[in-house]
Amino acid sequence: MTTTPITAGTPAPPPDTSVAAAASPLQVLARVAATVWSNTKARIGVVILLLFVLAAIFAPLLAPYDPSSTEFARSQDASAGHWLGTTAAGEDVLSQLIQGARISVFVGFVAGLLSTLVAVLIGLSWGYVRGWVGDVINFVVNLFLVVPGLPLMIVIAAYLQNGGIGMIILVVVITGWAWGARVLRSQTQSLRGRDFVTAAVFSGERPARIVFREILPNMTSLIVGNFFGAATSAILAEAGLEFLGLGDPSTVSWGTMLFWAQNSNALLTGQWALLFAPGLCIALLATSLTLINFGVDGLSNPRLRERRKVRK
Amino acid sequence: MTYALRKVGLLILTLWAAITLNFFLPRLMPGSPTDAAIAKLSQNGPVTAATRKAIEIQLGVPDGNLLSQYGQYLKQVLTLDFGVSYTFYPQPVADLVGQALPYTLILVGFVTIVAFVLGTLLGVLAAWKRGTWLDALPTLGGSFASAFPYFWTALLLLFFLGYVFKIFPTSGAYGVTNVPGFSGAFIGSALNHAVLPAVTILITSLGGWILGMRNTMISTLGDDYVTFAEANGLKPHTVAIRYAARNAILPNLTSFGLALGGVVGGSVLVETVFGYPGIGYLLLKAVTNQDYPLMQALFLMITVSVLLANFIVDILYGVLDPRTRK
Amino acid sequence: MSSDDILLTVEDLSVVYEPDGADPTFAVENVSFELRRGEFVGLVGESGSGKSTLGFALTRLSKPPARISHGTILFDGTDIASIDAEHLREQRQGGFAMVLQSGMNALNPVRTIRNHFFDVFTAHGHVSRERREERARELIGKVELPAATLDRFPGELSGGMRQRVSIALALSLEPQLMVFDEPTTALDVLVQHAVMNTIRDLQASEGFTAVLISHDLGIVLEATERVLVMHEGVIVEDGPSSEILNAPTADYTRMLLSHYADPRAEVVSLPGFEDRAIRRQAGASRSAVASPEHAPTVVTRSISTAQESIVVEHVSKTYPPPRRGEQPVRAVRDVSFTLEPGQSLALVGQSGSGKSTIAKMITGVEKPSEGSIRFGGLDVAKLRRGQLRDLHRNVQMVFQDPYAALNPLHTVEYTLTRPVVNFTGLKGRDARQRVLELLETVGLAPVEQFAAKLPHELSGGQRQRVVIARALACDPQVIIADEPVSMLDVSLRAGVLALLEDLREKWGVSLLYITHDLLSARLITGNIMVLHDGAVVERGETAEVLQRPTDDYTVALLEAVPNPQRTRR
C-alpha cells in the first residue's frame, strides 16, 4: 500500500461531508446501505431478497389456490391449471411454494435477528470483561463453535417432539450465536484498546454508555454482516430439519414440501418440479443473503471492496 | 512444545465439557425421556431391572441423585457401555456405532480434506487473478453452490444420476451381493456407492473454502512483506505461494476446524438421502424411533470426532506457524 | 556533468489516485528531476505531500488506487514506467531496490531470515547455490547483525533488527539505486540514529545512489548531499543540502527549517514560541501568532488554579514474564517525584523506558506493584474502577494519536459535551455554551462550525486541539500529555505546544509532559526527568539538564536529536 491521505483505521468518509448532527444509528445504517448498494453482487442479492419478501407478504393474493387444499388430482405433472403440478396429496405445488416463502423468510428474519442479538450481547460484554470470566466465556463459546450444530439440533428436536416453527427458531438460535459472538468479541477488544474508548473513560462515561454509544456504532457493518450470515444458516437449518421430518409436517414450507416429496417417491414418479422448485427457492434465498454480504464485507475490510476498473 | 501441551489440556477439558453436555441434554428436556424409552423398550418384551438402571443413568430419573448418576454415567462413557438399542433390539449400541463409524469417517473425512485442499487452491488462484474470469467464476459459482441446501444437492444428484440416467446406485454403501471385506469386488462396489454422497459434500462445501481463502489472500496480498517481496523482484509464483498464500492459510486453517461441525452436520442429511449406512443415517433412524440411548451415543461420537479433528488442526497450525513455537 | 553520470531521469511524472467512490486526485504532478550516480539525495515533505507516492513510482511499485498517469522514468536508459512485468522484475537485480517505511512488517513471518535471502538469490540467479550461504552471512554482517540472525524468524527480532534485515535484503540485489522510505520512522530514537548511521556508511562503501524519503528535514539534511522538497505533489525546491540549509529559496522550505532548533542551545526559539527562560526574564507573555492554525487563543477565565500535588513515592511496576521461563518485566523501578500545583514536568526516554507506564499508573489505568501514588486526598493506587471518576474530575489526559483519540462517528460537539455533562453538571444550553467556550479556548473558530464537524473533516492539528479541549472540559488540575505532537506534521507541532504552554500559564494547570522529543520538552517544561529502563537517571531544571547533561544516556538522547545546523562528517 502506498501512503493514502487517510490514516489506516479511520473509515472512509461518507460522501456527504456536511453532516452536522451526531451520527445516529440510523445514519450509520444508511451509510452501510449505500456502500452495500454500490457493490454489484450485493445489489443483485438485494433485488432477489426483495422479491422473496414481497412474495411472502402477499402470498395469499399471489397463490392461485389454497395451499393446503387437497381437492386436486394427485401427482399431476405441470399443466395450465397447475403450473408446477400437484403433490401426492393433491395440493397445488405453486401455491405451496408461494406460501412456503413465508416460513423461510420469517424464520430467517427472526432467527437471524435473535442470534445476532445474543451474539451482540455476549460478544460485547465478553470483549469488555477481564480475567477468569472472560476465560470461562471463551471456553463456552469455543465449545458451542465446535459442537456440530445440525446433530445437536436434531437431538434437541427429537426430544421436543414436533415443536413447530418456534422450536426450530429456538434450536437455530441456541446453536447459531457463537460464531458472531466470537467475531464481535475480537472487534470489541480491538476497539476498546483504542484511545477514544480510554478517552471516554476519562470523560466520566459509565461502562454501559461506553459499550453502546462508543463501541457498538463502530461495529455496525460487522453486526449487519452477522445478521445476514445467521439468517442464511437459519434458513438452511430450518429446511434441513423439516426435510428430516423433525418439524411440524402439517405446516406448508419448502422443507416440508421436500419431506413429502421424498416420502411420496417423487423421485421414482419423475415429478421433478416438486423436487426442483422448493430447493431452488431455498438456494436462491440463501444466495441472495450471501451476495448481500459481499457488499457488507467491503465495509469492514476496504481491501475487499470491488475495484471499478482493473488495470494491468 | 508448551503449545502442544496446552492444546492437549484444552482437548481434555473440551471432551469433558462435551460429555457433560451430553449428560445434561436429556435431563433438561421437558417430559421424561426415560419413561418414553422404557415404554418403547417394553414393546420388545419385559425390561429387566439392570436395563432399566442403565437407561436411567443415561437419560435421568426425575428425582434421582444427580451427582451419583453423573459418576455412573462417566463410567459408562469411559467403558463405551451405552446399553442396548431398541430399534435394533437386542444389539448393543456400541456395536451399532462401531459398524456405522468407518463409513462416515472415510467418506466425510476424505471428502472434506479434498474439498479443503481444492477450495484453498482455487481461492489462491482467484485472489491472485483478481478481477479476471478465474476470480469471478469460482467466486460466484462457489457462493451459489454453498447456498444449496445439502439435502437438495443430494436429491438432485440422486434424481438425475441415479434414477434418470442410472449411472450410480441410488442407495446403500455397497451392492446387495457383496460381502464386506478386503476383496476387489467389495471395494469397487463401495467406491461406486460413495461417489454421489462424496460429490454432494464436495459441491456444497467447496464454495466456502474458495471464498474464505480468497478473502484472506486478498488481505495478505496487501501486506508489506508481499510488497517488499515484489520490490525484491521475487518470481510471481514465489510471491503468490510462499508469501501471500502461506500466510493466508493460517487463519483459514482455524476456520477449517470450526467448519468441520457444519460439514459433519451436512453429511447427516446427505447420508439420509442416499441411505448410506453411516453415523448420520443411523442417527436419523434413532431419532424417528425415539431410540434415545442410540441417539445419545451417536451424538457423543460425532462431537468427540469433531473435537479430535479440531485438535489435529490445532497441532497442524502449531507446526505451520513459527510464532506458536516460542 | 556528462550524460554517463546520470542514473535516473524523471520527466513530467504524474501519479493519480483513483479511489472508489471519490474523485481522482493527483498525488504527484508533473515532477521532473535527475539523479547522478553515487548521489545521496533526500526527498522531504509533510504527510500528503506525495513523497512516498513518488518513491513507489520510482521503483514501479505503485498499486491501485495509485497509477502512473503520465511521464517517463528513464533508469539507465530504459523507461521503467512502461516496461512489462517480467522485464521489470529482472531489472530489480542490479537495478533499483526499496526499503519500506514499515520495515517491521516487511518480512514474511513464517520464513526464516536465511530463506528470505535465498528467495532473492533464487529469483535472480545472481548468486550460485554454493555461494549463497556465504553471501547471506556477508550481507547480514554489512548491516552489523550476527550470522545467527539468519536462523531466526522475523517475529523473534526487534524492530531495529528487522529494519536492518530489510536493508540487507535490498542490498542483496546489488542495486544501483536504493530508495529508503522513512526507514527509521517506526523505530526508537537511539535505534533510529544507529540505523541511519548504517545507511550512511553503506552508501559510502557500496557506492549506490540513494534516495532518502522522510518527513524530517533534520534527518535528511544531516545525511544527504542534495535535497528535494515536496509540497502538495510538486517539488518546490531542489538543491545542495548546504544551500537549502543556509539559503533556502522556497517559503515552504524556510517554514520547515524554522521548526528546528537545538535543545541544548542557550536560547531556543521556534515560530510563535520564545524560550521560557527569556520570557521569564522579560516578564512578558508570548505574543500571539498570525496564522489561525497556530494561534492559541486562551480565554482568560477566573477559575481555580491547581491546588493539589501528585506525589509519586517509590513506585515500581513489574509485569509477569511474557513467556514461561523468562524474567518478569520491570517496567518501572523505584520512581519518586512530586508534581507541584502549576508545575510543568517532562518525562523523557525512548519507548520501553517506562514513561507511559507511569502515566497509566497516575491515571489509575494500571496499579503499581509497589509504592504509592497520591493526588490530594486520593490514594490513586487503591481506587476501584468506579472511583476513578473522582480522579478524572481533576486529572485528565491528552493522547498521542489524534486520529485514534476521537470516535469517528461523533461530532466535536458530542465529544466535548460528554465530559461537561458528566463532570460539571451543566445541561442543555449551558453545556453547549461551555462547549463553545472550550473550542474558543483551543483556537478552533468559528466555534459553531467546528462544533458540528466530524473528526474526519478536521486536520491532525485541529483534532489534537479537540482532544485538548476535551481534557479541559472538567476544569482539571492536572493534564497528562502523552507525546501529544509526535504524530503531527512538524509545522503543526509548535501551535499545539504553545497551546499547552498557555493553558498551564493562564489556567494554572499542572502539566506532566511525556515525550521522547527533547526539543519540545525544552520548550514547554520547567523540570525534567530522564527515564532509562524504568529508572530515573537524571532530573533537574529542563534547561539546565539539557545544556549540561551528566548522565551518558541523556547525552546519547541529545546526540540523536536530528539537527540540520550540525556540521556533517
Side-chain angles (χ1 to χ4, degrees):
Chain A
M1 286 285 284
T2 46
T3 328
T4 50
I6 303 160
T7 315
T10 31
D16 179 11
T17 47
S18 63
V19 188
S24 69
L26 271 182
Q27 279 173 323
V28 179
L29 274 179
R31 193 168 58 86
V32 170
T35 317
V36 170
W37 187 251
S38 72
N39 181 307
T40 325
K41 288 180 201 140
R43 212 177 310 157
I44 298 171
V46 170
V47 170
I48 300 177
L49 178 63
L50 270 181
L51 288 179
F52 276 111
V53 171
L54 290 176
I57 294 173
F58 299 107
L61 299 176
L62 291 171
Y65 307 100
D66 177 2
S68 39
S69 154
T70 52
E71 60 186 308
F72 310 108
R74 300 181 171 192
S75 300
Q76 293 273 297
D77 273 338
S79 65
H82 302 280
W83 290 3
L84 295 175
T86 58
T87 68
E91 300 135 324
D92 178 50
V93 174
L94 180 62
S95 304
Q96 288 212 324
L97 202 63
I98 295 172
Q99 179 72 18
R102 294 196 137 186
I103 304 283
S104 281
V105 170
F106 177 77
V107 169
F109 184 75
V110 174
L113 208 62
L114 286 179
S115 60
T116 305
L117 194 69
V118 176
V120 166
L121 288 177
I122 292 185
L124 278 176
S125 38
W126 179 23
Y128 218 77
V129 296
R130 279 191 232 223
W132 64 271
V133 184
D135 291 338
V136 172
I137 304 180
N138 181 36
F139 183 73
V140 173
V141 171
N142 274 337
L143 189 66
F144 270 91
L145 274 177
V146 290
V147 167
L150 194 70
L152 179 60
M153 286 182 204
I154 292 174
V155 169
I156 296 177
Y159 283 122
L160 308 170
Q161 292 287 321
N162 295 337
I165 292 302
M167 182 271 293
I168 287 182
I169 289 177
L170 179 78
V171 173
V172 168
V173 172
I174 289 176
T175 53
W177 59 273
W179 181 256
R182 204 168 102 132
V183 173
L184 293 175
R185 195 272 303 236
S186 61
Q187 181 69 4
T188 307
Q189 278 187 326
S190 96
L191 282 174
R192 75 168 291 195
R194 296 271 192 89
D195 284 348
F196 71 79
V197 174
T198 317
V201 176
F202 275 83
S203 296
E205 300 281 45
R206 310 211 178 268
R209 200 176 167 103
I210 289 177
V211 168
F212 289 106
R213 289 307 297 270
E214 304 287 334
I215 294 179
L216 189 65
N218 278 295
M219 306 200 296
T220 315
S221 63
L222 276 184
I223 294 172
V224 171
N226 187 66
F227 167 74
F228 286 118
T232 312
S233 41
I235 289 166
L236 292 178
E238 177 256 343
L241 287 177
E242 288 190 329
F243 170 72
L244 292 176
L246 292 169
D248 177 358
S250 65
T251 50
V252 177
S253 76
W254 296 335
T256 47
M257 284 174 78
L258 286 166
F259 170 72
W260 288 118
Q262 208 205 4
N263 278 17
S264 61
N265 287 326
L267 287 172
L268 283 173
T269 57
Q271 255 193 306
W272 62 271
L274 186 49
L275 206 66
F276 202 74
L280 187 67
C281 285
I282 299 168
L284 272 178
L285 184 56
T287 309
S288 75
L289 299 178
T290 315
L291 287 176
I292 293 174
N293 256 353
F294 271 107
V296 179
D297 277 348
L299 274 174
S300 44
N301 186 352
R303 281 180 189 171
L304 291 180
R305 271 181 215 164
E306 262 181 13
R307 294 184 194 155
R308 276 179 311 182
K309 302 157 221 159
V310 176
R311 293 179 193 81
K312 278 267 118 181
Chain B
M1 205 53 226
T2 49
Y3 174 81
L5 281 179
R6 221 174 48 239
K7 289 293 170 194
V8 171
L10 196 66
L11 173 69
I12 293 170
L13 201 62
T14 321
L15 280 176
W16 166 78
I19 290 169
T20 308
L21 175 75
N22 204 42
F23 171 76
F24 279 109
L25 212 49
R27 287 167 173 80
L28 286 174
M29 293 299 153
S32 170
T34 308
D35 289 351
I38 288 170
K40 199 94 186 173
L41 195 54
S42 59
Q43 291 167 6
N44 295 313
V47 180
T48 63
T51 314
R52 187 184 186 89
K53 182 94 170 72
I55 290 175
E56 280 176 354
I57 290 168
Q58 267 187 324
L59 304 175
V61 273
D63 38 42
N65 180 350
L66 217 55
L67 201 66
S68 79
Q69 284 180 43
Y70 183 58
Q72 287 165 310
Y73 163 80
L74 280 185
K75 197 177 144 213
Q76 276 191 354
V77 169
L78 291 177
T79 53
L80 298 178
D81 166 25
F82 299 105
V84 283
S85 157
Y86 38 76
T87 314
F88 304 93
Y89 192 82
Q91 291 197 66
V93 166
D95 289 3
L96 287 167
V97 175
Q99 283 160 22
L101 196 60
Y103 290 107
T104 302
L105 275 188
I106 293 171
L107 175 71
V108 177
F110 178 72
V111 176
T112 308
I113 290 170
V114 168
F116 179 70
V117 172
L118 197 63
T120 303
L121 289 177
L122 287 173
V124 168
L125 200 64
W128 187 246
K129 301 280 178 193
R130 193 178 176 191
T132 67
W133 67 271
L134 278 172
D135 176 19
L137 195 70
T139 309
L140 278 179
S143 52
F144 189 52
S146 61
F148 283 10
Y150 272 94
F151 57 92
W152 188 54
T153 314
L155 282 173
L156 287 185
L157 287 175
L158 184 61
F159 180 64
F160 287 110
L161 299 181
Y163 287 98
V164 178
F165 298 108
K166 301 190 190 323
I167 300 172
F168 293 105
T170 56
S171 173
Y174 49 87
V176 276
T177 52
N178 298 108
V179 182
F182 279 101
S183 67
F186 170 73
I187 292 175
S189 168
L191 286 178
N192 197 27
H193 278 79
V195 170
L196 285 184
V199 170
T200 308
I201 300 176
L202 193 67
I203 289 178
T204 34
S205 58
L206 195 61
W209 308 133
I210 296 179
L211 291 184
M213 188 61 187
R214 174 186 179 268
N215 286 359
T216 38
M217 172 103 170
I218 283 175
S219 285
T220 52
L221 279 175
D223 280 345
D224 285 325
Y225 50 79
V226 172
T227 310
F228 190 54
E230 283 170 356
N232 288 338
L234 301 197
K235 293 203 173 116
H237 68 258
T238 317
V239 178
I241 305 297
R242 289 196 179 159
Y243 283 71
R246 177 66 172 73
N247 280 286
I249 198 143
L250 293 171
N252 253 40
L253 208 54
T254 313
S255 320
F256 174 69
L258 295 177
L260 275 178
V263 178
V264 172
S267 75
V268 173
L269 292 162
V270 174
E271 286 181 4
T272 312
V273 173
F274 292 106
Y276 197 81
I279 293 284
Y281 185 63
L282 200 57
L283 179 65
L284 192 75
K285 275 257 164 74
V287 166
T288 42
N289 291 310
Q290 287 179 272
D291 189 346
Y292 293 141
L294 182 57
M295 184 178 85
Q296 287 284 119
L298 285 169
F299 178 61
L300 188 66
M301 195 49 71
I302 293 173
T303 313
V304 169
S305 315
V306 173
L307 289 183
L308 286 173
N310 258 290
F311 171 73
I312 295 171
V313 169
D314 276 348
I315 295 299
L316 193 61
Y317 188 103
V319 172
L320 284 178
D321 190 348
R323 283 162 291 190
T324 58
R325 281 177 224 156
K326 281 188 244 168
Chain C
M1 194 198 288
S2 83
S3 64
D4 282 358
D5 274 353
I6 306 296
L7 176 67
L8 184 82
T9 310
V10 175
E11 240 169 73
D12 247 3
L13 184 70
S14 295
V15 182
V16 66
Y17 267 91
E18 296 164 324
D20 275 343
D23 294 329
T25 46
F26 281 90
V28 173
E29 236 178 328
N30 301 325
V31 163
S32 303
F33 63 91
E34 290 181 336
L35 294 181
R36 271 178 289 118
R37 288 180 199 276
E39 214 177 6
F40 198 162
V41 177
L43 182 59
V44 180
E46 295 185 287
S47 59
S49 64
K51 57 184 191 306
S52 288
T53 312
L54 178 57
F56 274 79
L58 291 186
T59 46
R60 260 297 293 277
L61 286 170
S62 307
K63 278 188 190 173
R67 179 175 64 93
I68 298 177
S69 61
H70 185 257
T72 54
I73 305 168
L74 277 181
F75 180 86
D76 218 5
T78 324
D79 181 12
I80 58 167
S82 56
I83 56 175
D84 67 82
E86 184 52 26
H87 278 100
L88 177 70
R89 191 186 75 74
E90 285 165 5
Q91 282 272 310
R92 294 189 186 278
Q93 194 272 316
F96 35 90
M98 178 128 180
V99 175
L100 302 177
Q101 169 169 18
S102 37
M104 359 261 307
N105 306 324
L107 302 174
N108 185 346
V110 297
R111 281 182 91 64
T112 60
I113 305 302
R114 173 175 288 106
N115 278 333
H116 279 86
F117 280 103
F118 289 4
D119 285 345
V120 176
F121 299 155
T122 317
H124 299 290
H126 61 299
V127 176
S128 66
R129 265 196 107 71
E130 304 79 55
R131 273 205 73 249
R132 55 186 203 174
E133 173 70 26
E134 185 192 337
R135 179 70 179 146
R137 283 165 183 270
E138 193 183 326
L139 285 162
I140 208 81
K142 280 188 201 238
V143 292
E144 293 152 42
L145 290 175
T149 316
L150 292 173
D151 299 322
R152 304 254 175 265
F153 286 97
E156 301 168 332
L157 304 177
S158 72
M161 289 162 89
R162 272 182 268 175
Q163 190 60 290
R164 282 171 190 275
V165 170
S166 332
I167 294 172
L169 277 168
L171 210 55
S172 74
L173 293 167
E174 297 156 13
Q176 299 180 61
L177 170 69
M178 266 179 92
V179 178
F180 298 90
D181 184 14
E182 304 263 12
T184 61
T185 308
L187 305 175
D188 264 332
V189 210
L190 291 183
V191 182
Q192 269 186 13
H193 200 58
V195 170
M196 268 318 298
N197 282 339
T198 306
I199 292 176
R200 250 187 291 180
D201 294 346
L202 281 174
Q203 198 269 332
S205 61
E206 309 282 311
F208 52 79
T209 308
V211 176
L212 174 64
I213 301 173
S214 177
H215 67 281
D216 195 329
L217 188 55
I219 288 184
V220 167
L221 282 174
E222 262 187 41
T224 63
E225 51 207 73
R226 178 179 150 210
V227 175
L228 309 176
V229 182
M230 249 187 127
H231 183 50
E232 291 178 350
V234 177
I235 293 181
V236 294
E237 183 144 14
D238 175 0
S241 304
S242 54
E243 268 178 40
I244 298 239
L245 180 58
N246 299 316
T249 55
D251 291 344
Y252 184 71
T253 317
R254 267 195 291 267
M255 188 280 291
L256 284 181
L257 272 172
S258 69
H259 288 278
Y260 285 89
D262 187 341
R264 285 171 290 197
E266 280 298 319
V267 177
V268 180
S269 177
L270 287 195
F273 228 106
E274 291 171 351
D275 186 32
R276 48 185 299 113
I278 302 267
R279 197 156 8 116
R280 233 176 250 144
Q281 284 163 11
S285 189
R286 191 174 37 71
S287 55
V289 202
S291 138
E293 173 71 25
H294 301 162
T297 20
V298 170
V299 183
T300 319
R301 302 178 60 221
S302 53
I303 46 127
S304 57
T305 51
Q307 284 150 8
E308 313 281 4
S309 335
I310 287 184
V311 183
V312 175
E313 277 179 343
H314 302 294
V315 162
S316 296
K317 177 71 186 178
T318 308
Y319 291 105
R323 286 186 285 277
R324 214 160 305 166
E326 290 185 11
Q327 294 293 314
V329 180
R330 299 187 63 192
V332 175
R333 308 162 189 231
D334 193 25
V335 169
S336 303
F337 65 90
T338 304
L339 181 65
E340 305 284 358
Q343 193 194 10
S344 55
L345 173 66
L347 222 54
V348 299
Q350 44 178 349
S351 66
S353 64
K355 55 189 198 300
S356 291
T357 311
I358 293 179
K360 282 183 188 157
M361 289 191 288
I362 292 176
T363 52
V365 177
E366 301 253 8
K367 306 270 175 232
S369 318
E370 284 163 50
S372 74
I373 299 171
R374 276 176 292 118
F375 172 74
L378 291 175
D379 187 341
V380 177
K382 295 207 171 72
L383 290 181
R384 270 178 279 116
R385 255 207 216 181
Q387 298 169 309
L388 282 176
R389 251 184 128 165
D390 298 337
L391 180 69
H392 294 152
R393 194 180 294 279
N394 286 309
V395 179
Q396 278 288 326
M397 183 129 180
V398 174
F399 298 86
Q400 176 174 17
D401 183 356
Y403 289 87
L406 296 174
N407 191 328
L409 299 176
H410 292 321
T411 58
V412 170
E413 179 168 357
Y414 177 88
T415 302
L416 294 182
T417 306
R418 295 309 304 161
V420 169
V421 169
N422 286 336
F423 288 122
T424 65
L426 296 176
K427 286 199 179 70
R429 193 175 297 166
D430 294 341
R432 182 173 162 81
Q433 188 54 40
R434 167 81 185 167
V435 167
L436 297 181
E437 275 174 37
L438 285 167
L439 284 172
E440 206 180 332
T441 303
V442 296
L444 290 177
V447 287
E448 302 269 351
Q449 270 182 33
F450 275 102
K453 282 186 193 284
L454 286 166
H456 71 84
E457 300 168 290
L458 303 174
S459 71
Q462 290 170 338
R463 285 176 192 221
Q464 199 58 303
R465 282 165 192 270
V466 174
V467 173
I468 294 173
R470 174 173 57 195
L472 292 175
C474 57
D475 272 340
Q477 300 190 30
V478 181
I479 286 188
I480 295 171
D482 188 1
E483 303 267 17
V485 295
S486 68
M487 306 282 280
L488 300 181
D489 273 331
V490 179
S491 58
L492 299 176
R493 289 183 184 175
V496 171
L497 289 173
L499 173 62
L500 283 172
E501 164 81 341
D502 266 25
L503 291 171
R504 199 188 58 74
E505 280 202 337
K506 297 196 174 149
W507 285 38
V509 183
S510 325
L511 176 70
L512 183 65
Y513 180 66
I514 293 165
T515 189
H516 69 276
D517 174 20
L518 298 173
L519 177 60
S520 63
R522 173 79 196 270
L523 284 170
I524 65 166
T525 61
N527 291 72
I528 194 168
M529 287 191 348
V530 183
L531 280 169
H532 183 40
D533 284 343
V536 180
V537 293
E538 188 155 10
R539 64 169 89 199
E541 281 191 22
T542 309
E544 180 65 26
V545 168
L546 295 186
Q547 281 171 28
R548 283 169 283 278
T550 52
D551 187 82
D552 289 346
Y553 180 71
T554 318
V555 176
L557 281 181
L558 279 163
E559 285 297 322
V561 175
N563 181 10
Q565 261 75 19
R566 203 181 298 161
T567 36
R568 296 182 298 118
R569 280 174 220 172

